[in-house]
Amino acid sequence: MALQQDLWVFGYGSLMWNPGFPHVERRPALLEGCARRFALWSTEYRGTAERPGLVLTLEPTEGATCRGVAFRVAAGAVEETLAGLRARELVTGAYEEAWRPVRLLDEAGGAAEAVCYLARLGHPQHAGGLSLAEQAAIIARAQGRRGPNPDYLFSTLEALRAEGVRDEEMEDLGVRVAGLLEGGAS
């Protein structure tokens, strides 16, 4: 059975700059109760089994908020979009698909129920608890099928800045990784 209504997708990391699906609208959004963190081992996209990288997760965290973007997908493209997102985000089981309310932050305002992909905190790929220095060292040296891990970090920082979002921890991480790259991290 075909879905008969539009779909909203919340992006907080690579979906912000590389959604990979057609959308009819892109709006700044806020998700409450979750935090954006570099806390997922990447052994394919941004690292390898021998030298894993790190990618972002969305972790349920009381009192936290995460600024990102909400994409509206037309009803006719919902099934294909969800299939593509599931193939991209659920391939290793490290994320779970969830539907959460997001607040739309542009002049039109409003709210939407959006699909998002939350970290499975007990999954073997979850890398919670790493210090910023440890994260930077991992990111600076990793590379996978989709390219160098630092590119993922810097593209996400650029997307956040374009949305007017200043994430202090991500900014600090960017400075640390840039410093390691300038110093010849291996």
Side-chain angles (χ1 to χ4, degrees), residues 7-27 69-74 77-86 88-89 114-117:
L7 168 74
W8 286 92
V9 179
F10 181 72
Y12 60 93
S14 64
L15 287 178
M16 292 179 67
W17 48 270
N18 183 25
F21 54 84
H23 51 279
V24 294
E25 195 173 356
R26 180 185 198 277
R27 296 174 64 184
V69 295
F71 298 94
R72 185 170 61 86
V73 176
V78 168
E79 288 184 42
E80 181 180 346
T81 298
L82 280 173
L85 284 168
R86 289 169 179 157
R88 174 179 173 166
E89 303 294 334
V115 66
C116 56
Y117 294 90

Side-chain angles (χ1 to χ4, degrees), residues 35-49:
R36 173 183 19 248
R37 296 196 173 103
F38 266 96
L40 185 73
W41 294 112
S42 178
T43 57
E44 293 203 24
Y45 295 148
R46 296 297 174 165
T48 63

Side-chain angles (χ1 to χ4, degrees), residues 83-157:
L85 284 168
R86 289 169 179 157
R88 174 179 173 166
E89 303 294 334
L90 302 179
V91 66
T92 67
Y95 294 110
E96 65 180 295
E97 187 174 272
W99 298 84
R100 297 285 188 272
V102 296
R103 190 164 22 121
L104 303 172
L105 301 175
D106 57 8
E107 290 179 9
E113 189 81 5
V115 66
C116 56
Y117 294 90
L118 305 177
R120 289 186 186 271
L121 301 181
H123 193 276
Q125 280 181 264
H126 187 256
L130 295 173
S131 70
L132 281 179
E134 291 170 317
Q135 292 173 41
I138 292 163
I139 292 168
R141 64 173 172 66
Q143 180 166 325
R145 285 186 305 144
R146 291 213 175 145
N149 205 174
D151 289 357
Y152 175 92
L153 166 63
F154 297 138
S155 293
T156 303
L157 276 169

